[in-house]
Amino acid sequence: MNTTEIREARKSVMILIADDDEDDRMFTKEAFEENYLLNEIRFVNDGVELMDYLKRRNKYSNPADSPRPGIILLDLNMPKMDGREALKEIKSDPNLRSIPVVVLTTSKAEQDVLQTYDLGVNCFITKPVSFADFIEVARTVGHYWFDIVQLPNSSE
């Protein structure tokens, strides 16, 4: 693959972010943009909406409106269905469990770290407080997940 093909393959990985906090969503999107990560980013507000999206239910029933994500960034503390419950459902579903899930949360609790790894999370990251640190986290996440790791083909 030449450099252009690598960039195109990298951009083709859609990022689905499940987070109910509008400021954190904006922070995350801007941090990715600061790092020139040109991936499509979609957002859902809670675990119920995340599962509707992934299982193509309700407003996400049209596959054109709900392309399969290449990676999910998951907040733990959300209304309706929290990130732990959503993670458990994703990793127990044979059609979804191959999608990498990165917990991106404000929690630093050891119990959350252990529980999410037990449930099958691929990575646990505590959200940084400053935007400069958030940019560095986004750069590292982008480099690791889109340059180093071989992701499964996200098309169905």
Side-chain angles (χ1 to χ4, degrees), residues 18 74-78 81-84 87 103-107 112-113 116 124:
L74 179 65
D75 186 28
L76 291 183
N77 302 310
M78 298 182 293
M81 174 191 282
D82 72 16
R84 295 162 203 80
L87 176 62
V103 165
L104 184 60
T105 188
T106 56
S107 175
D112 285 336
V113 174
T116 56
F124 188 104

Side-chain angles (χ1 to χ4, degrees), residues 34-144:
E34 285 285 326
N35 285 289
Y36 303 102
L37 295 172
L38 305 175
N39 303 66
E40 178 183 1
I41 298 175
R42 293 181 179 229
F43 295 96
V44 292
N45 293 307
D46 56 58
V48 171
E49 190 177 356
L50 172 62
M51 296 316 300
D52 283 351
Y53 183 101
L54 294 172
K55 294 189 176 201
R56 294 189 170 137
R57 300 183 297 221
N58 301 318
K59 71 179 184 179
Y60 299 106
S61 61
N62 182 351
D65 296 332
S66 56
R68 185 177 172 96
I71 189 167
I72 298 168
L73 300 183
L74 179 65
D75 186 28
L76 291 183
N77 302 310
M78 298 182 293
K80 297 183 185 178
M81 174 191 282
D82 72 16
R84 295 162 203 80
E85 295 168 299
L87 176 62
K88 183 176 183 179
E89 193 169 333
I90 291 166
K91 293 304 182 178
S92 66
D93 185 317
N95 296 316
L96 302 175
R97 70 173 153 227
S98 65
I99 302 171
V101 178
V102 174
V103 165
L104 184 60
T105 188
T106 56
S107 175
K108 293 181 180 180
E110 183 69 13
Q111 178 182 350
D112 285 336
V113 174
L114 293 172
Q115 182 183 21
T116 56
Y117 277 112
D118 283 346
L119 292 172
V121 77
N122 298 88
C123 183
F124 188 104
I125 300 171
T126 300
K127 291 177 184 175
V129 176
S130 78
F131 187 61
D133 289 342
F134 214 111
I135 289 171
E136 182 59 25
V137 166
R139 185 193 66 73
T140 303
V141 166
H143 177 65
Y144 180 76

